[in-house]
Amino acid sequence: MFDRILVALDSSEQSDYVIQCVLQIKLQPSATIVLCHVIELSESNLEQPADLPFVDPELGQFRHIEKALQAYQAELPCQSELEIVTGDPTEEIIRLANIHHADLIVLGSRGLTGVNRILKGSVSSQVVSDASCPVLVVKL
């Protein structure tokens, strides 16, 4: 049923739970899972002087994320790809789902409520609202 699944992960413990939920989906041998992680752009990167060489302080973070995604990738029973991108999480998840023609998006929910949800926003709620395919939101 689902040939291409985009799984959006972050660096939290919840990623383990999201992967366990993905593994419970009955996958066809021909299915492809795209594991993605979105690194939010920090304002400090935007304020970098244009005339100085750019040294990416998040390069170590990128390698750490890549290794974590590769570890999850090893658990998957089908073909998989990795995507690590920077930007707004909601926009990038939707963009990647469109690029990869995802049949399903799987992501976790931070479980924010009240003022935190209003101030920080809910990535999962926005993805559910904007996605052109089904979305599975995994809550702890």
Side-chain angles (χ1 to χ4, degrees):
M1 181 174 177
F2 298 118
D3 291 325
R4 297 194 63 82
I5 301 173
L6 178 76
V7 181
L9 302 170
D10 58 17
S11 297
S12 72
E13 302 160 358
Q14 190 174 22
S15 292
D16 293 338
Y17 190 63
V18 170
I19 290 294
Q20 293 309 311
C21 289
V22 168
L23 292 173
Q24 292 181 25
I25 298 172
K26 187 165 184 123
L27 299 169
Q28 299 296 324
S30 62
T32 300
I33 295 178
V34 179
L35 300 177
C36 77
H37 183 104
V38 180
I39 301 171
E40 287 189 74
L41 290 175
S42 66
E43 290 182 22
S44 61
N45 286 353
L46 297 175
E47 296 173 2
Q48 185 76 358
D51 59 343
L52 294 177
F54 179 69
V55 177
D56 190 354
E58 299 188 11
L59 186 58
Q61 179 188 9
F62 177 86
R63 289 192 178 118
H64 175 74
I65 291 167
E66 183 179 38
K67 286 185 181 200
L69 291 180
Q70 287 171 340
Y72 291 130
Q73 191 176 30
E75 296 178 39
L76 299 174
C78 59
Q79 295 179 348
S80 59
E81 301 172 19
L82 302 180
E83 289 276 2
I84 302 171
V85 296
T86 58
D88 175 78
T90 300
E91 291 175 10
E92 292 302 316
I93 291 168
I94 296 297
R95 184 181 70 82
L96 289 171
N98 290 332
I99 288 171
H100 290 280
H101 305 288
D103 300 314
L104 175 69
I105 300 171
V106 181
L107 73 161
S109 173
R110 296 183 290 181
L112 298 178
T113 58
V115 175
N116 277 335
R117 185 178 176 131
I118 292 168
L119 293 176
K120 295 180 181 177
S122 171
V123 172
S124 58
S125 293
Q126 195 63 45
V127 169
V128 167
S129 174
D130 296 348
S132 59
C133 65
V135 179
L136 172 62
V137 178
V138 179
K139 283 186 82 166
L140 284 178

